[in-house]
Amino acid sequence: GIPGIETHTCTHTHIYIHTHICINTRTYTHVHIHTHTYTPRSTHIPTRLLCAMDAESFRRLHSAVYHQRFLSSGVRCDGRRVEEHRDVSVVRGVAGRADGSALCRIGNTAVLVSVKGEVTVPAEQNPRSGFMEVQVDLSNLSGAHLSSDAHSKAHSLDDSAALAARIMHVLECAKCVDMDALCIEEGRVVWFLYIDVLCLSDAGNVTDAAILAVVAALHDVSLPGVSISDTDEVLGNAD
């Protein structure tokens, strides 16, 4: 049930009378009594809606009221106390084909990050500096704020871009990656790190989980040795 919503029982009785006339002029009357019991809730939400509404539907349609009921009782909707944090776990090296990867869980929120390095030509103004790019995929989320209609899909793309920008801002401000360390040969070839963030589930703190997973995946990165031939050909597996 939902805390803070009182209940009482109402009973409706319906009587159905069926009359049958037989060919011998006798008449038989059958009376059927049907009783229906339901439990409305005393809140500002119309009773007729609450009678047919489960807790998940109530959370989706009236999210603020749903959470206020729990918080007023000193608990969160997942059973934790107000001051109790979620369990946090980070596992590195979970994607075999990536150059670096990590899975972060905060409670029931899970984010998977993989990092792939590719060689490219540096910018003329920064001949020793490599590149990195963050892409976020929220399409797997099944939270109340996402659905299958076109508007929600567009909203999901906006959320993905916003979260990617937020992660990139944190990485740049904290100087998590030494961009000069991505230089293979100055002015000729540098590494480009593609950071893919896949949000598997969102039960809260998805931004924190994403940032933790990205940092852990970057720590897990191991790039292969490469060298450049006289014809600017990139040769792999060099010491």
Side-chain angles (χ1 to χ4, degrees):
I2 301 173
I5 297 183
E6 299 177 356
T7 62
H8 62 277
T9 301
C10 297
T11 302
H12 284 175
T13 301
H14 304 276
I15 300 177
Y16 304 91
I17 301 176
H18 303 279
T19 301
H20 303 278
I21 301 177
C22 300
I23 59 174
N24 60 0
T25 70
R26 293 183 180 181
T27 300
Y28 300 92
T29 301
H30 303 278
V31 178
H32 301 278
I33 301 177
H34 174 71
T35 301
H36 174 64
T37 302
Y38 66 95
T39 305
R41 295 168 172 81
S42 56
T43 182
H44 71 281
I45 307 301
T47 300
R48 62 184 179 81
L49 292 178
L50 286 172
C51 291
M53 187 183 300
D54 58 20
E56 178 61 19
S57 298
F58 186 88
R59 182 184 70 83
R60 290 173 177 269
L61 295 175
H62 309 284
S63 179
V65 177
Y66 178 88
H67 288 89
Q68 287 170 3
R69 290 289 187 267
F70 283 96
L71 294 178
S72 63
S73 300
V75 296
R76 298 173 183 263
C77 56
D78 59 3
R80 291 180 294 130
R81 298 186 302 276
V82 174
E83 70 280 3
E84 185 178 356
H85 62 76
R86 295 178 172 91
D87 292 332
V88 180
S89 67
V90 179
V91 181
R92 301 194 315 189
V94 294
R97 294 187 178 182
D99 294 314
S101 62
L103 174 65
C104 177
R105 295 183 182 274
I106 300 181
N108 291 325
T109 296
V111 178
L112 174 66
V113 174
S114 61
V115 181
K116 189 68 176 177
E118 294 185 5
V119 294
T120 188
V121 178
E124 291 184 4
Q125 62 273 26
N126 294 304
R128 288 187 52 82
S129 181
F131 304 93
M132 65 178 175
E133 178 182 273
V134 177
Q135 292 187 342
V136 175
D137 184 356
L138 298 175
S139 62
N140 282 351
L141 297 189
S142 57
H145 61 292
L146 298 177
S147 63
S148 58
D149 57 60
H151 176 74
S152 293
K153 286 182 178 179
H155 183 61
S156 174
L157 292 176
D158 291 340
D159 289 343
S160 297
L163 181 53
R166 174 62 175 166
I167 294 171
M168 194 69 180
H169 177 73
V170 171
L171 294 177
E172 291 175 343
C173 290
K175 298 182 178 180
C176 294
V177 178
D178 181 1
M179 305 307 290
D180 287 347
L182 298 178
C183 179
I184 299 173
E185 185 170 334
E186 183 175 352
R188 298 181 68 187
V189 180
V190 296
W191 284 107
F192 195 130
L193 299 183
Y194 292 92
I195 304 171
D196 293 319
V197 180
L198 177 60
C199 298
L200 303 174
S201 60
D202 180 8
N205 295 100
V206 69
T207 300
D208 296 336
I211 292 174
L212 285 174
V214 167
V215 173
L218 288 172
H219 277 285
D220 188 57
V221 168
S222 178
L223 297 172
V226 296
S227 62
I228 309 300
S229 69
D230 294 336
T231 59
D232 288 341
E233 181 182 1
V234 177
L235 305 176
N237 300 323
D239 294 332

